[in-house]
């Protein structure tokens, strides 16, 4: 047996022991498996579907849509965005009822929230954001800045890190209208100190909009406790809502009655079925709605929110930390000796549920891994992201993925 064989056996044995001791291991059986896939490490891009969802979608078509027809709107569908928003807020976001709603896409909600925020700070001329934020966040803010005659002020972040309170404090000032940051950075996996950063921006008189796309469902949020103004995120990553699932938004109660809806639609009006001339906004969080709720798209999300509530978001986070710690151990042992660089924070308190590793060959290697049923994802300039979704990813699966990356590196020597 070679030294490498011994190392691989040791790492595999550790993974199996961690799986055996995992209190959440039983939840993995709730998810559908994909034929030919031995390691799915892309839950930070698209979560696996739940078995229950396959049943519920079929039942909905037959019993609710097919059976209740138009009556379904009055009976429950119109209230689903707010009801599900409250459930999500309680299970994963640290939000009291009446502040979350499911609607639109992340892009549309970013626009709505940011546009309302800058309107709430007249006379201020700057939007703060970081150059490494997800492209959509940057593009939407570029458009709003052009619309409103504002200036984008860029906050710099380390390549393997993210936005810090100190960096924000150096950029925020009397012209700050809004700051837009990601709770977990899409590339590095850096977990921002949302509470501290929110306080810094508030001390400067600005408002804060947090993007939770890469944290909601895997990393607990405390939107109320942090004093957050606005937040949004998708539901197809750790919330397992499926391709194109609707996004969600949070508006703190204190901002709702003055929220200037930039996309005025009938279902966000005070009396949608009155069909009156002239728009009057609905009270509370419902004024964030514009058009017809995406009911079919909310069904998978509803199942996953219930599962997170059952497991407990703190237990989900504990599993996430153990998974990423194990992944880093495997990367250090198997990949770093071949020139791979860890481009994510080492400390668990500053890391979300994915890690990024860099190597010049990773773009080609990712394509080869996919052919083998090993599914991470690739992000420029040279990174593989290992997305470890706590309720559906095992430690052995993580080992399989890292070992496959090593095998491809060895093959290229």
């Amino acid at each position: 047996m070679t030294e490498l064989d011994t190392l691989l056996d040791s790492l595999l044995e550790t993974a199996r022991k961690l799986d055996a001791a995992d209190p959440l291991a039983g939840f993995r059986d709730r998810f559908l498996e994909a034929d030919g896939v031995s390691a799915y490490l892309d839950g930070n891009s698209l979560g696996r579907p739940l078995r229950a969802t396959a049943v519920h979608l079929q039942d909905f078509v037959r019993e609710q849509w097919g059976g209740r027809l138009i009556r379904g709107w009055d009976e429950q569908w119109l209230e689903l965005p707010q009801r599900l928003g409250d459930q999500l807020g309680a299970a994963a976001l640290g939000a009291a009822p009446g502040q979350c709603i499911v609607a639109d896409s992340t892009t549309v909600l970013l626009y709505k929230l940011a546009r309302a925020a800058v309107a709430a700070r007249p006379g201020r001329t700057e939007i703060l954001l970081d150059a490494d934020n997800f492209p959509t966040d940057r593009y939407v803010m570029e458009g709003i800045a052009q619309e409103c005659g504002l200036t984008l002020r860029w906050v710099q972040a380390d390549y393997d890190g993210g936005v810090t309170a100190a960096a924000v404090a150096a950029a925020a000032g009397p012209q700050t209208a809004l700051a837009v940051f990601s709770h977990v950075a899409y590339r590095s996996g850096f977990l921002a100190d949302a509470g501290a950063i929110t306080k810094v921006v508030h001390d400067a008189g600005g408002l804060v909009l947090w993007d939770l796309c890469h944290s909601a469902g895997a990393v607990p949020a405390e939107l109320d406790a942090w004093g957050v103004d606005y937040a949004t995120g998708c539901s197809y990553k750790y919330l397992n809502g499926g391709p194109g699932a609707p996004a969600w938004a949070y508006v703190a109660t204190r901002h709702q009655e003055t929220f200037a809806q930039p996309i005025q639609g009938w279902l966000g009006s005070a009396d949608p079925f009155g069909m009156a001339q002239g728009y009057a906004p609905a009270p509370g969080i419902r004024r964030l709605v514009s058009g017809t709720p995406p009911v079919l798209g909310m069904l998978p999300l509803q199942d996953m929110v219930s599962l997170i509530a059952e497991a407990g978001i703190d237990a989900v986070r504990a599993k996430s930390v153990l998974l990423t710690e194990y992944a880093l151990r495997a990367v250090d042992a198997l990949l770093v000796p071949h020139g791979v660089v860890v481009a994510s924070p080492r400390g668990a308190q500053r890391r979300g549920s994915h890690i990024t590793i860099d190597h010049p060959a990773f773009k080609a290697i990712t394509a080869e891994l996919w052919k083998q049923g090993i599914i991470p994802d690739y992000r420029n300039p040279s990174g593989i992201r290992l997305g470890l979704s706590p309720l559906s990813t095992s430690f052995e699966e993580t080992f399989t993925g890292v070992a496959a990356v090593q095998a491809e590196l060895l093959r290229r020597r």
Side-chain angles (χ1 to χ4, degrees), residues 158-178:
D158 292 336
Y159 178 76
D160 60 352
V163 176
T164 65
V168 175
Q175 292 306 313
T176 301
L178 174 67

Side-chain angles (χ1 to χ4, degrees), residues 305-396:
V305 169
S306 296
L307 197 69
I308 292 170
E310 180 183 345
I313 191 63
D314 291 334
V316 171
R317 173 59 176 163
K319 169 79 176 288
S320 166
V321 169
L322 288 175
L323 278 168
T324 53
E325 291 286 358
Y326 174 77
L328 284 170
R329 177 179 172 182
V331 166
D332 285 339
L334 299 178
L335 305 184
V336 169
H338 300 286
V340 171
V341 175
V342 175
S344 292
R346 290 281 183 171
Q349 75 281 3
R350 291 274 70 89
R351 187 176 64 242
S353 203
H354 74 270
I355 64 170
T356 298
I357 51 178
D358 282 350
H359 189 279
F362 273 172
K363 186 171 186 178
I365 283 177
T366 300
E368 288 301 316
L369 292 173
W370 278 36
K371 294 176 186 177
Q372 302 167 28
I374 308 292
I375 316 290
D377 74 357
Y378 174 82
R379 286 293 179 268
N380 284 326
S382 59
I384 280 178
R385 295 191 307 177
L386 304 174
L388 309 173
S389 191
L391 290 177
S392 61
T393 306
S394 71
F395 292 92
E396 184 168 349

Side-chain angles (χ1 to χ4, degrees), residues 43-123:
N44 58 316
S45 287
L46 179 67
R48 291 181 181 272
L50 285 163
R51 295 181 185 277
T53 297
V55 176
H56 292 163
L57 283 171
Q58 187 177 59
D59 287 347
F60 179 87
V61 172
R62 289 178 174 173
E63 304 298 329
Q64 293 193 47
W65 181 7
R68 303 311 299 156
L69 298 171
I70 195 68
R71 295 170 292 182
W73 286 113
D74 291 332
E75 292 169 353
Q76 57 180 307
W77 300 341
L78 281 174
E79 301 304 319
L80 183 57
Q82 288 173 261
R83 186 169 71 249
L84 183 53
D86 284 346
Q87 291 167 352
L88 176 60
L93 304 178
Q99 299 178 105
C100 295
I101 198 158
V102 177
D104 305 314
S105 66
T106 308
T107 303
V108 172
L109 290 175
L110 279 168
Y111 177 80
K112 287 182 176 182
L113 296 170
R115 193 67 178 75
V118 298
R121 288 294 182 269

Side-chain angles (χ1 to χ4, degrees), residues 266-288:
W266 77 300
L267 278 180
S269 68
D271 183 14
F273 294 96
M275 306 293 180
Q277 185 67 26
Y279 176 83
I285 192 67
R286 191 167 65 81
R287 70 173 52 198
L288 191 65

